[in-house]
Each structure stands twice: as structure tokens, then as C-alpha cells.
Amino acid sequence: MSIREELAHTTLVLTSAEAKIVQVLLADYPMSGLGTASRLAKAAGVSDPTVMRLMVKLGYGGFAAFQAKLLAEIESRLHSPLLMMEAKRPANSSEGTVNDYFHSVSDSLERTRTAVPSQSYGRAARMLLDCKGQVVLLGGRFSRHIASMLAGYLVQFRPGVHDIGALAPTDFDLLIDLGKRDLLVVFDYRRYQSDVVSFARQARERGMGILLFTDPWLSPISEHADLTLIAAIEANSPFDTLATAVVQMETVFAHALESEGQTVRKRIEDIEGIRRANGVTLDASDFTGPGDRRTAAGDPAKWAAPFVRGKPKST
């Protein structure tokens, strides 16, 4: 759990003076914790000893220990693949590398499963389905592909789904038509993209709801989000894994399917009808036997020639 989460969700009984310190720390996190204890006390309008007592109550040896953890957290948020290459050297053999990597991703999946209350997935599903306006999906350089996957699922459930894809300067114009009835779904993992953060901040200023998928170090967008789902992303590689993010996204959709599957059946049937009419996908009826492939258009000769005994043949 990040320091921000600890402060925001602490179960400790705080005095009014201690609560003021927590409020100052959260209002300008993490910058408010990077100065001296005296500076923090002055900003909160309390005494220096009050700051020290709060740090001990929170489980730190003192302000220095609190600040050391805060600095380590900031450094972790900014890690790039280049910085992690030395810290995460591959195993000596290809077999060791494969096994170690799979185990590391499996560990991150388990941490993700236990880190988020199951109710949060149901709440996220309701946000997606109950939105009366547009559901806009956005992500970073890699995470935008997960946003596109969710958009592909969601369009089968409801209209008004807009996947931005790679955010361009002209996409900021979309904000003019977005407001309180709309929902922004953002996938943002370290190192966080400034344009994605800026778009989310401006969307919030226009009244949009925000559903955020992020990592344990928390994207700055978490300050504006109505609901934040955290996924462990560490793996035995210089690159963070997004396998946990995909599983988390699919879990949200599984909740949506369980609660609304029967309601949206007609819409899914209509979509399937459109796909069949345009030969978009293959159905069981397209295969009448080994080597006999038929298209929805009824003319297998146009495309079956490159296949011999079910295997592609070079042309």
C-alpha cells in the first residue's frame, strides 16, 4: 500500500491536529512530505512535536523514516526499463528465464487478486453500464491497447463507447462535448504520461466521472478518480507486466456479464447478425467437413484455395 493510501484510509484515531497534518500531506502529495518537519508543521498550523507523534503513530520511527519511504516510493514510480535493466538481470538459462518470469507474473496476479476488494469490481461494472452519456476510454503507450480491448467488450453491452486510442493534440477537442453524464476510463501505469494525466484532469474539471486502472504507486490521476483499481505489475524483467491489468479489466467485464448478460442478449444477437451478414467471422455452419470451408457469402472458392488439409499454403 502506498503512503497516500495509508494516509487516506487509515483506521487510526487521529487528533484534530494530526488530522490537519494528514490533510496537508494529501492535498499536495507527495511534495508536501518532501520538506522539513517544521515546514510541514507550519503548513498544517501545528507544532513540530505533533508531526513527530503522528509519524510514530503511523508506524514510522520518525519523520526521517517517513520521508525515506516517501522518496523510495517516488523513485519506484519513475523507474524506466533502462533503470531496471541492471536491477533485474535475466537468469543464466533460457529455461530459468521462462520459469522465473512466469512465476513472477503469477505472484503479481495473486497480489492483485488480494489487493482489491471484490465489491470494487462490481462497482466498476455498474459505472460502465449505468453511465447515461459517453464512455470514453484512454490509455498510455502500452496500456491504451487494454483500453481498446475493454471498448471491444463494452460495445456489445451498450452504445456510446468511444476509444480514443493513441492520444493526439486534436483529441483534447473532445472535451468540449463531455460533461457530468459521461465517464472516462483510464489505464495509466508507471511511468505516467503527462498528456493522459492532463486529459483526465481536464475531464474531471468538466464534471466527468473517472474510473482509473493503475499500479500500486498510483497515477496522479488517482487524485481525480471516483474509483481506482490497482494491479501489481512487477515482473522478472526490465519491463513491467500488463498481464495483471488485462486480467483485472476482464474481471470487471465478467461482473458486467453476470449482472446484465440476459438484458443485453438482443443487442449481442443483432451484432452477431451484422457480422454474419458481412462475412466478418466464421461460424460452425461455415465448416461442413474436413477440407470443406464455406463463407457466409456461400462462395468458398474465393478464399479456400490457399488451404490444403486445413493448413495454410504459401501463394
Side-chain angles (χ1 to χ4, degrees):
M1 184 179 292
S2 69
I3 292 178
R4 182 183 178 85
E5 287 182 290
E6 290 177 355
L7 294 173
H9 304 293
T10 181
T11 57
L12 297 173
V13 178
L14 303 178
T15 66
S16 58
E18 291 168 343
K20 289 179 180 179
I21 299 170
V22 171
Q23 186 175 9
V24 169
L25 287 169
L26 290 174
D28 188 24
Y29 184 86
M31 299 303 296
S32 54
L34 297 179
T36 63
S38 295
R39 181 178 175 183
L40 178 59
K42 184 177 180 180
V46 301
S47 65
D48 289 11
T50 303
V51 173
M52 302 303 179
R53 286 195 296 271
L54 173 62
M55 295 304 146
V56 173
K57 182 182 284 190
L58 291 172
Y60 301 99
F63 187 74
F66 166 80
Q67 201 167 66
K69 183 179 178 181
L70 181 62
L71 288 168
E73 182 180 295
I74 294 171
E75 183 182 4
S76 294
R77 293 177 76 184
L78 300 177
H79 272 179
S80 67
L82 188 61
L83 290 174
M84 292 196 289
M85 286 187 73
E86 288 300 316
K88 296 183 177 181
R89 293 180 179 275
N92 293 329
S93 67
S94 59
E95 181 179 356
T97 298
V98 170
N99 289 335
D100 288 348
Y101 186 79
F102 268 91
H103 283 306
S104 68
V105 173
S106 178
D107 289 342
S108 284
L109 277 170
E110 179 61 18
R111 290 198 303 274
T112 299
R113 185 186 67 83
T114 57
V116 179
S118 58
Q119 309 93 286
S120 295
Y121 292 103
R123 184 182 169 196
R126 291 260 53 92
M127 290 175 70
L128 292 169
L129 298 176
D130 292 346
C131 174
K132 303 302 182 184
Q134 292 275 322
V135 177
V136 180
L137 296 105
L138 177 64
R141 285 171 295 175
F142 296 102
S143 57
R144 70 170 181 261
H145 302 300
I146 309 175
S148 295
M149 290 173 65
L150 178 56
Y153 286 132
L154 195 58
V155 75
Q156 299 180 72
F157 270 52
R158 53 161 299 149
V161 178
H162 180 70
D163 176 23
I164 292 179
L167 185 63
T170 53
D171 290 320
F172 280 82
D173 293 347
L174 296 171
L175 290 166
I176 194 63
D177 295 318
L178 299 172
K180 295 180 180 179
R181 290 169 50 85
D182 306 302
L183 175 68
L184 177 65
V185 183
V186 192
F187 293 81
D188 194 33
Y189 303 88
R190 70 174 184 185
R191 302 142 68 202
Y192 316 106
Q193 277 188 222
S194 58
D195 56 349
V196 172
V197 173
S198 178
F199 189 97
R201 176 182 55 79
Q202 294 177 61
R204 188 59 171 182
E205 290 172 353
R206 301 188 68 84
M208 288 187 73
I210 296 180
L211 170 59
L212 172 66
F213 293 79
T214 189
D215 53 48
W217 299 278
L218 296 180
S219 161
I221 299 171
S222 62
E223 299 176 17
H224 312 293
D226 296 284
L227 178 62
T228 299
L229 299 181
I230 297 171
I233 58 173
E234 290 185 299
N236 191 26
S237 164
F239 296 91
D240 290 324
T241 179
L242 289 181
T244 51
V246 172
V247 170
Q248 197 170 53
M249 176 273 294
E250 291 181 337
T251 302
V252 170
F253 190 77
H255 270 261
L257 186 62
E258 181 179 11
S259 62
E260 298 293 331
Q262 292 302 315
T263 304
V264 298
R265 182 180 180 88
K266 178 62 167 59
R267 179 179 175 86
I268 296 175
E269 288 176 346
D270 289 345
I271 292 174
E272 287 297 312
I274 292 171
R275 290 173 177 170
R276 285 194 298 271
N278 290 278
V280 175
T281 56
L282 298 176
D283 296 317
S285 60
D286 296 323
F287 295 82
T288 60
D292 186 3
R293 297 169 178 262
R294 303 183 185 278
T295 67
D299 186 6
K302 290 183 178 180
W303 64 280
F307 290 84
V308 176
R309 294 183 180 176
K311 296 183 180 180
K313 176 181 177 183
S314 60
T315 55

